[in-house]
Amino acid sequence: MAHRIAVVGGGIAGLTAAYRLRRELGPDAEIVLLEQGDRLGGKLRTVELAGCRYDVGAEAFLDRRPEVRQLVEELGVPEEVVHPGAVSATVRVGGRTCRLPDGTVMGVPASADAVQDVLSQAGVAAVRAEADLPPVRLGGADISVGELLRGRVGDEVVDRLVEPLLGGVYACSADLLGLRATIPALAAALDAGAESITAAAASALPSPKPADSPEPPVFGAFRYGYRELIDRLLIAADAQVRLGFPVRQLARTDSGWRLEIGAAPSPEFLDVDAVVLAVPAPAARKLLDDAAPAAAAKLAAVEQSSSIVVGLALPPDTRLPEASGVLIARGEQHADGTPFTAKAFTFSSKKWPHLCGTDGELLVRGSVGRFGEAAELRLDDAEVLRRVAADFAELTGTSAVPVDSVVVRWGGALPQYGVGHLDLIADVERAVAKVPGLAIAGAALHGVGVPACIATGTAAATDITRDLLRAGPREVGR
């Protein structure tokens, strides 16, 4: 009898798990992909903006990790991967826009000289004096990024550099994020014996390449958006897809698992041999309450942040800055004292030269939303669009009126990696591993980026395959 597996969650982690299960279990396996929404892709979403396919969820992936590259090679679409143009990022601090400095690790400086154009004289002096402070001794413990750095290199490094960068990833204050999960290279350098923050950052920087050996691209994207990857994965997974089917309950049975799916008052029941949960932490917690209560209890500590992405299409003659985009430090204001609503802009047609509208329109992406600051998220779409357009005009000096736009809301889309996150997730995974035929995947585990999510989907499929082949069909739950 063929195996039947349910994959709950149609984001990139769930799709990867379904694809890997198909490859590992062969054509006879029955893979059911359940997604409570009306589309697949999760936080990967491609829309049309001025006639161009444009990503309004994750926009890029870290190309120095192998997971995406491996997938596109297997799926036969390596030529669809593109890389950014030769432009640098900027940051808005102290009422001016500066080039984002080199010589930092996620904004943490390797020297005072590296950040002298971004910090005040007092801020530079604090960084310069840091090496004379008593040695840093973490003793293997975790600590919040803000707590560690504010006491060592000063508030300005956190507020002007680290938090804008981390905020672009997690939409959260640096004071709430754990060092080991969010800046692991810095933590590793301190563990290895670096006695100051600047020394740790210096040792964590990549070695310079010879002049005749150019740096490989850091980031990649898909020429026609992530929809290309999603569609290819879906075809290769050959799964039964059921959209609009939330999973209400998960229970073990004598022969495997039973899922209660669909909306009340007429739910359906699905019996399977194994289950992959590739859903956000709050949903996973609810479904694990009976099956793995220890894991559920731990996942309750993972909070979620929300955000809004605004896509703008501007007339072809608009002058964009010669930069990939701009990060906006918390507290920055317009000339009239009005606070910025956006936390960052990507000048998409500069960063990704292939991106432009059908008639040459230039595309720009604005990002709104920080953890714990809900006022902007409660604004209606028209007001969000008005404010973000005003922010863009203030930053760039252009008064161009968008010819097309899109506002996309991501409610509870970003898990927060707080202090102790790695230990918490290790506990979750140990608890789940004790339950045969059950695996978890997704952004709440080992990174919110696309490669990290793909890695969790692959690992989940490997765990399920091992359990199934060890136990045989209809025996996993016994």
Side-chain angles (χ1 to χ4, degrees):
M1 184 182 296
H3 297 288
R4 176 191 281 178
I5 308 99
V7 177
V8 183
I12 187 62
L15 282 162
T16 299
Y19 165 69
R20 292 293 177 203
L21 286 166
R22 176 63 66 204
R23 284 177 63 95
E24 294 173 6
L25 298 175
D28 293 334
E30 184 179 352
I31 301 170
V32 183
L33 182 60
L34 299 162
E35 166 57 47
Q36 71 171 358
D38 60 1
R39 66 174 187 87
L40 297 175
K43 292 183 284 292
L44 305 184
R45 183 176 177 186
T46 307
V47 301
E48 187 173 289
L49 183 62
C52 177
R53 295 182 68 173
Y54 189 67
D55 282 320
V56 290
E59 66 152 342
F61 60 87
L62 191 62
D63 204 18
R64 291 178 179 174
R65 287 190 59 151
E67 291 87 356
V68 177
R69 278 290 177 179
Q70 183 177 349
L71 266 187
V72 298
E73 292 288 345
E74 293 177 12
L75 298 170
V77 289
E79 71 281 356
E80 296 303 324
V81 173
V82 295
H83 298 104
V87 286
S88 300
T90 60
V91 60
R92 178 77 168 198
V93 294
R96 59 194 182 94
T97 301
C98 314
R99 184 177 180 274
L100 198 63
D102 297 324
T104 73
V105 177
M106 198 55 104
V108 180
S111 69
D113 291 342
V115 292
Q116 61 184 352
D117 293 335
V118 181
L119 307 185
S120 69
Q121 290 184 353
V124 173
V127 175
R128 201 177 303 280
E130 191 263 337
D132 296 327
L133 296 176
V136 180
R137 295 285 186 262
L138 296 181
D142 199 7
I143 186 173
S144 92
V145 172
E147 181 181 352
L148 173 66
L149 298 182
R150 291 186 190 281
R152 298 288 306 191
V153 291
D155 291 339
E156 285 190 11
V157 167
V158 177
D159 297 337
R160 297 189 175 194
L161 288 169
V162 176
E163 187 164 292
L165 283 161
L166 287 179
V169 179
Y170 301 98
C172 187
S173 165
D175 298 302
L176 300 177
L177 295 171
L179 176 72
R180 294 189 177 276
T182 60
I183 317 181
L186 191 71
L190 292 170
D191 289 343
E195 296 191 335
S196 69
I197 297 299
T198 49
S203 67
L205 288 172
S207 302
K209 296 284 184 180
D212 59 350
S213 177
E215 289 279 349
V218 176
F219 296 105
F222 285 84
R223 188 181 311 276
Y224 300 111
Y226 272 114
R227 172 51 56 189
E228 180 74 17
L229 177 62
I230 298 303
D231 289 345
R232 294 282 183 153
L233 273 175
L234 184 59
I235 292 169
D238 191 24
Q240 299 176 27
V241 177
R242 304 192 71 176
L243 297 177
F245 276 86
V247 178
R248 300 165 58 85
Q249 189 172 18
L250 174 66
R252 296 184 72 178
T253 67
D254 290 340
S255 58
W257 297 89
R258 170 163 284 190
L259 290 77
E260 181 182 336
I261 63 176
S266 303
E268 300 179 24
F269 295 92
L270 176 67
D271 292 313
V272 297
D273 300 311
V275 178
V276 174
L277 293 181
V279 293
R285 176 185 60 79
K286 292 177 183 177
L287 294 175
L288 290 172
D289 266 341
D290 293 329
K298 290 288 184 178
L299 286 173
V302 180
E303 298 186 271
Q304 304 288 123
S305 181
S306 301
S307 64
I308 302 173
V309 171
V310 177
L312 303 174
L314 304 170
D317 60 353
T318 304
R319 293 181 63 86
L320 292 179
E322 289 299 321
S324 62
V326 56
L327 302 170
I328 302 170
R330 190 190 301 268
E332 290 297 302
Q333 299 179 340
H334 290 229
D336 64 2
T338 304
F340 281 96
T341 295
K343 65 180 181 182
F345 283 93
T346 300
F347 307 139
S348 303
S349 293
K350 287 288 187 181
K351 182 175 181 179
W352 307 101
H354 70 286
L355 285 178
C356 64
T358 303
D359 296 322
E361 295 91 347
L362 302 180
L363 308 185
V364 170
R365 167 191 171 116
S367 179
V368 176
R370 292 183 171 95
F371 183 70
E373 299 179 7
E376 289 88 355
L377 301 176
R378 289 195 292 264
L379 299 172
D380 62 31
D381 287 1
E383 181 62 12
V384 169
L385 180 60
R386 186 194 69 77
R387 292 192 185 192
V388 168
D391 290 347
F392 176 76
E394 177 77 16
L395 289 166
T396 64
T398 179
S399 57
V401 177
V403 298
D404 195 10
S405 62
V406 62
V407 177
V408 177
R409 295 174 182 269
W410 295 103
L414 288 171
Q416 301 300 290
Y417 283 21
V419 176
H421 181 81
L422 298 183
D423 291 338
L424 182 151
I425 294 303
D427 290 343
V428 169
E429 292 179 324
R430 278 192 290 268
V432 171
K434 294 177 181 178
V435 185
L438 180 65
I440 59 171
L445 302 182
H446 299 292
V448 299
V450 174
C453 291
I454 289 173
T456 65
T458 297
T462 300
D463 290 344
I464 292 298
T465 300
R466 178 201 61 219
D467 288 348
L468 290 173
L469 297 182
R470 183 180 296 164
R474 308 300 186 212
E475 296 180 3
V476 176
R478 292 181 180 173

